[in-house]
Amino acid sequence: MSLVDVEKAVQHVDSCANFDGGYGVCPGAESHSGQIFTCVSALAIAGRLDLVETDKLGQWLSERQLPCGGLNGRPEKTEDVCYSWWVLSSLATIERTHWIDRDGLIKFILRCQDVEKGGIADRPGDEVDVWHTLFGIAGLSLLGYPGLVAVDPVYCLPRPVVERAVG
């Protein structure tokens, strides 16, 4: 943290905030779940979650859940297991995970498993890969799925290992 102008970084992140409570990759850019994770986590690390419009952001993030139980990254897009991390970690950071259908998301992630090969795909029936396996398991962990170690929603590390630098 001593190598970063934290206040300037916070100002930049805050300038990327949108009317819908989300964040884009630059000022004026469309809100996207992956970028929201980056911005919200950066603000959490800097101890500046007070800048986040938590209810507005929580609403936008919870609206990413589709009838199939999965989450998408932005409106009108398809569900993808990776958003089980990107969306859910941000909801966890702002303490709004109870705004989504937990059981529906667990069922979606588990439907994306390939029980013969092992691993998790982006959607049911697609090819598994390491990327989606990681984020599917991390999402299940955030949901408190039995047998998984709890991960920190900002650092994606086991909770007992993580001590936040600021705040």
Side-chain angles (χ1 to χ4, degrees), residues 58-109:
Q59 180 177 347
W60 190 91
L61 290 166
S62 64
E63 288 172 357
R64 305 286 51 84
Q65 191 162 36
L66 301 173
C68 67
L71 301 164
N72 64 18
R74 54 196 169 116
E76 304 301 321
K77 295 298 181 181
T78 308
E79 69 281 357
D80 189 318
V81 161
C82 68
Y83 295 113
S84 302
W85 171 257
W86 302 119
V87 172
L88 200 56
S89 60
S90 296
L91 283 170
T93 301
I94 63 169
E95 300 178 349
R96 299 293 187 280
T97 58
H98 60 284
W99 286 14
I100 63 159
D101 176 4
R102 176 188 178 278
D103 293 335
L105 182 54
I106 289 171
K107 288 176 186 172
F108 172 75
I109 296 169

Side-chain angles (χ1 to χ4, degrees), residues 19-80:
F19 69 94
D20 55 18
Y23 295 83
V25 296
C26 62
E30 176 184 20
S31 294
H32 187 279
S33 300
Q35 185 62 23
I36 289 169
F37 162 78
T38 303
C39 291
V40 170
S41 293
L43 292 173
I45 291 167
R48 292 304 310 272
L49 284 175
D50 60 295
L51 296 174
V52 178
E53 293 187 60
T54 53
D55 284 346
K56 192 182 280 190
L57 177 58
Q59 180 177 347
W60 190 91
L61 290 166
S62 64
E63 288 172 357
R64 305 286 51 84
Q65 191 162 36
L66 301 173
C68 67
L71 301 164
N72 64 18
R74 54 196 169 116
E76 304 301 321
K77 295 298 181 181
T78 308
E79 69 281 357
D80 189 318

Side-chain angles (χ1 to χ4, degrees), residues 1 43-49 155 163-167:
M1 295 293 281
L43 292 173
I45 291 167
R48 292 304 310 272
L49 284 175
Y155 297 97
E163 286 194 31
R164 297 207 175 149
V166 179

Side-chain angles (χ1 to χ4, degrees), residues 124-159:
D126 285 357
E127 191 63 35
V128 300
D129 61 70
V130 173
W131 172 266
H132 290 93
T133 300
L134 167 70
F135 289 124
I137 292 171
L140 289 170
S141 172
L142 288 174
L143 293 165
Y145 192 77
L148 296 178
V149 173
V151 295
D152 184 274
V154 172
Y155 297 97
C156 194
L157 294 170
R159 277 204 187 262

